[in-house]
Amino acid sequence: MTIRTLPGLLGFISVLFGSANAIGAEPLNLVANPLPTLVAEDNEPARINVLISQALKAIELPATLHIDRPAFSGSGLLTGKYNGEYAFLSLNDKRSDFLYSDAYLPVNLYLASRKNSLEDISHFSHIRNGRVAAENRLANTPPLRLIKAVSWVRNPTVFDSFKQLSEQRAEYLLEDELLLREFNRMLAENKELPLYSTPEPILQASLHLSIRSDTSNAAAKISAFNTYIKLAQQNGTYNQVLGISWLAKDVNGDGVADWITSAKVAHTTSTTDALTNAFSLDTTAPSAASQFIVDGEVVPDWQAVQTKLANAPQTARKSYLDHEVYKNMMNRW
């Protein structure tokens, strides 16, 4: 694909492949913990696996992606069984003997509720003594262990957290925006109302690639990965991998979020209402100065966007969560 109008991207491409030639071909073993729709086995949707695999292929860095439980992945990183993590959560402490990429995916944690509007909630103290369901991967991180305003209902999996909320054994749920979107999509498919959630994330984190610092050309490998991610976030790759129509990110460095999409993902509406569901890749906000970018090409206005999207799919995709796993929960909702 030739990208004609995004300044600096041709330079990025040159740097990308220059780095790839320099980083060598020593295979890596990278690990992540299972996470529905993002890191998964058994042919289930695994968007992070796909993204990382595409990135490593593009920068000619051979690696095997492993999925392991936290206790085993932690010991594997200590013993050298694994060279790094491909979904390191920034809420955890970084290891001094590893190098870390720039954030490649935000982890926006929202509070959600079945029954209570959370429009005025912006801090855990606003629901003092409330019972909050959360996965161990979140509740056991250093920042969340310090929060004493609420009572944590810890769960081993995402499914268990949603189950606590569905059975009203927890009043609230703390969950990543991408997973909440998939659950709300499933609720809509079952003609149920979506969960209430806080207007803004209650906590913001991010995912990173990590590589052991004594790995050959570790810094060059991280740099090449960062360069690929910058491209992928604005040329439609992220839209396709994440299954999200619109993304928002400041592409040109003017402090304003730009609108990013692809004609290869579903667009169920041709009005600007579609932008209200854009997933933000950074913390910038859109304005009248926001650019529209379709498959890596800047287009001048909304009408031109619709011309580019004329042949895009129009049928909404189904939730990436396993419908059979959640069947009983939906039936009892």
Side-chain angles (χ1 to χ4, degrees):
M1 179 186 299
T2 300
I3 304 173
R4 299 183 298 277
T5 50
L6 288 176
L9 286 192
L10 293 179
F12 280 150
I13 294 172
S14 176
V15 171
L16 172 63
F17 289 102
S19 298
N21 291 331
I23 60 180
E26 180 183 351
L28 298 179
N29 286 303
L30 302 174
V31 69
N33 303 137
L35 189 59
T37 85
L38 298 171
V39 179
E41 297 176 301
D42 301 325
N43 297 317
E44 294 180 7
R47 293 174 283 175
I48 287 177
N49 295 52
V50 172
L51 174 64
I52 297 298
S53 295
Q54 290 184 2
L56 298 181
K57 181 179 179 180
I59 65 176
E60 300 176 7
L61 178 55
T64 300
L65 304 184
H66 302 267
I67 301 175
D68 218 336
R69 287 182 291 172
F72 295 110
S73 64
S75 63
L77 290 165
L78 287 173
T79 61
K81 176 182 178 180
Y82 300 124
N83 302 106
E85 295 179 85
Y86 64 91
F88 171 80
L89 178 63
S90 64
L91 293 175
N92 291 303
D93 294 328
K94 290 184 176 180
R95 301 169 186 262
S96 60
D97 54 342
F98 283 76
L99 299 181
Y100 294 82
S101 74
D102 297 338
Y104 69 79
L105 192 67
V107 177
N108 300 319
L109 299 176
Y110 285 80
L111 279 173
S113 170
R114 282 191 65 180
K115 297 184 177 181
N116 301 316
S117 173
L118 303 178
E119 284 297 318
D120 297 324
I121 306 301
S122 60
H123 194 273
F124 287 105
S125 62
H126 296 162
I127 56 166
R128 186 169 295 280
N129 299 322
R131 290 176 57 80
V132 180
E135 308 147 59
N136 290 331
R137 73 178 182 102
L138 301 175
N140 291 339
T141 59
L144 288 174
R145 282 201 300 264
L146 295 175
I147 296 172
K148 307 299 183 184
V150 299
S151 175
W152 293 109
V153 183
R154 290 175 170 81
N155 298 277
T157 68
V158 171
F159 174 83
D160 292 314
S161 289
F162 282 121
K163 190 169 185 287
Q164 294 279 1
L165 190 69
S166 72
E167 296 176 353
Q168 302 184 54
R169 288 184 284 170
E171 303 166 83
Y172 307 96
L173 169 73
L174 180 71
E175 192 50 86
D176 174 24
E177 179 180 358
L178 287 175
L179 291 173
L180 281 174
R181 284 181 176 227
E182 295 308 313
F183 190 75
N184 279 335
R185 189 183 291 261
M186 182 177 285
L187 286 173
E189 291 166 3
N190 285 272
K191 297 181 171 52
E192 300 286 354
L193 294 175
L195 297 175
Y196 296 102
S197 62
T198 50
E200 301 294 334
I202 205 83
L203 193 64
Q204 291 180 291
S206 51
L207 294 180
H208 304 253
L209 170 70
S210 75
I211 298 177
R212 190 179 300 277
S213 57
D214 61 4
T215 301
S216 176
N217 296 310
K221 291 170 180 175
I222 291 291
S223 178
F225 177 80
N226 288 339
T227 301
Y228 173 84
I229 293 300
K230 289 178 182 178
L231 287 169
Q233 288 183 338
Q234 53 196 277
N235 67 9
T237 297
Y238 261 54
N239 299 82
Q240 296 169 47
V241 171
L242 296 178
I244 295 177
S245 301
W246 285 96
L247 302 172
K249 181 190 175 184
D250 179 10
V251 168
N252 57 6
D254 63 356
V256 172
D258 300 299
W259 304 111
I260 305 165
T261 193
S262 170
K264 296 179 181 179
V265 297
H267 289 267
T268 58
T269 178
S270 61
T271 72
T272 54
D273 290 344
L275 300 177
T276 62
N277 292 319
F279 179 71
S280 296
L281 295 174
D282 62 16
T283 58
T284 58
S287 77
S290 298
Q291 300 181 111
F292 294 106
I293 304 170
V294 181
D295 290 315
E297 182 178 349
V298 175
V299 295
D301 52 37
W302 186 252
Q303 182 176 354
V305 168
Q306 294 311 302
T307 299
K308 288 285 186 182
L309 300 180
N311 295 319
Q314 297 181 350
T315 302
R317 66 167 175 83
K318 295 180 72 67
S319 172
Y320 285 142
L321 289 172
D322 189 321
H323 289 69
E324 190 62 31
V325 168
Y326 285 82
K327 181 178 179 180
N328 288 338
M329 187 185 301
M330 292 294 104
N331 288 340
R332 297 169 182 169
W333 191 261

